């Protein structure tokens, strides 16, 4: 918003494109770093493999039907769900 007011339309279009391109590079380099770390460490690879195995083995599908007597969650919990989902991704 600051760019579009101060410098015009072209700058307001280019600025978010640069931000997104930087985010893609950041994600790529982070992924590359994790790949190199895991590929060089047998311990890290084995730990990820075993954690994934036990996660899949103990995966249980639970159907949670809404109960009319059950109190509904408020907006704060929605905020924290979104916050932790984005942070942990």
């Amino acid at each position: 918003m600051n760019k579009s007011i101060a410098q015009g339309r072209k700058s307001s279009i280019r600025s978010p494109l640069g931000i997104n391109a930087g985010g893609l590079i950041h994600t790529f380099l982070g992924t590359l770093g994790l790949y190199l770390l895991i590929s060089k460490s047998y311990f890290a690879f084995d730990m990820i493999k075993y954690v994934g195995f036990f996660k899949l083995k103990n995966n249980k599908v639970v159907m949670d039907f809404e109960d009319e007597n059950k109190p509904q969650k408020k907006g704060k919990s929605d905020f924290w769900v979104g916050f932790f989902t984005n942070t942990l991704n």
Side-chain angles (χ1 to χ4, degrees), residues 32-46:
L32 181 65
L34 284 175
Y35 163 74
L36 291 173
L37 180 69
I38 292 170
S39 68
K40 299 296 179 192
S41 171
Y42 293 114
F43 178 74
F45 178 74
D46 284 341

Side-chain angles (χ1 to χ4, degrees), residues 64-73:
D64 185 23
F65 295 102
E66 291 186 26
D67 188 8
E68 293 177 8
N69 298 328
K70 187 175 161 181
Q72 298 295 320
K73 295 180 180 179

Side-chain angles (χ1 to χ4, degrees), residues 8-9 14 35 48-49 52 57 66 75 77 83 86:
R9 183 176 179 199
R14 289 181 185 147
Y35 163 74
I48 291 172
K49 183 171 60 172
K57 182 179 176 194
E66 291 186 26
S77 66
F83 174 79
N86 194 18

Side-chain angles (χ1 to χ4, degrees), residues 12-75:
S12 67
I13 292 172
R14 289 181 185 147
S15 180
L17 291 175
I19 291 169
N20 288 329
L24 288 173
I25 297 297
H26 177 82
T27 303
F28 173 74
L29 292 176
T31 304
L32 181 65
L34 284 175
Y35 163 74
L36 291 173
L37 180 69
I38 292 170
S39 68
K40 299 296 179 192
S41 171
Y42 293 114
F43 178 74
F45 178 74
D46 284 341
M47 289 306 297
I48 291 172
K49 183 171 60 172
Y50 291 129
V51 167
F53 170 75
F54 286 115
K55 172 69 176 150
L56 289 175
K57 182 179 176 194
N58 295 326
N59 192 12
K60 295 178 181 153
V61 177
V62 177
M63 300 296 287
D64 185 23
F65 295 102
E66 291 186 26
D67 188 8
E68 293 177 8
N69 298 328
K70 187 175 161 181
Q72 298 295 320
K73 295 180 180 179
K74 299 296 179 194

